[in-house]
Amino acid sequence: TPETVRLAAAQAVQKAQELKLTSFAMSPGESVPLPPAVSAQAFAEGAELGAYSYLRYKTGEGDQRAAVE
């Protein structure tokens, strides 16, 4: 489902941030049983949401995340 693709992409981005990677590549491959446009959109949404961190009111340096391209 698109939600499964979103979750996988979000987890991949979060792991990349945890490992302090500055860039990495990922691809859903051809095994995803969704139309390519649906898969690509879900993948992009998951990656964006996985990288999101609301830090406006956070103080200190407890959660410094690496920027991932």
Side-chain angles (χ1 to χ4, degrees):
T1 66
E3 186 61 21
T4 303
V5 174
R6 273 187 214 94
L7 290 172
Q11 289 174 344
V13 169
Q14 289 170 352
K15 188 64 173 179
Q17 288 176 328
E18 178 185 320
L19 296 172
K20 300 197 185 309
L21 300 177
T22 56
S23 66
F24 76 104
M26 56 185 178
S27 170
E30 296 180 17
S31 62
V32 177
L34 296 169
V38 173
S39 178
Q41 180 173 345
F43 209 73
E45 290 170 355
E48 184 69 25
L49 292 171
Y52 180 77
S53 182
Y54 186 76
L55 301 174
R56 181 173 181 170
Y57 298 107
K58 188 159 179 101
T59 60
E61 297 182 27
D63 186 26
Q64 293 296 328
R65 293 185 173 208
V68 177
E69 294 180 19

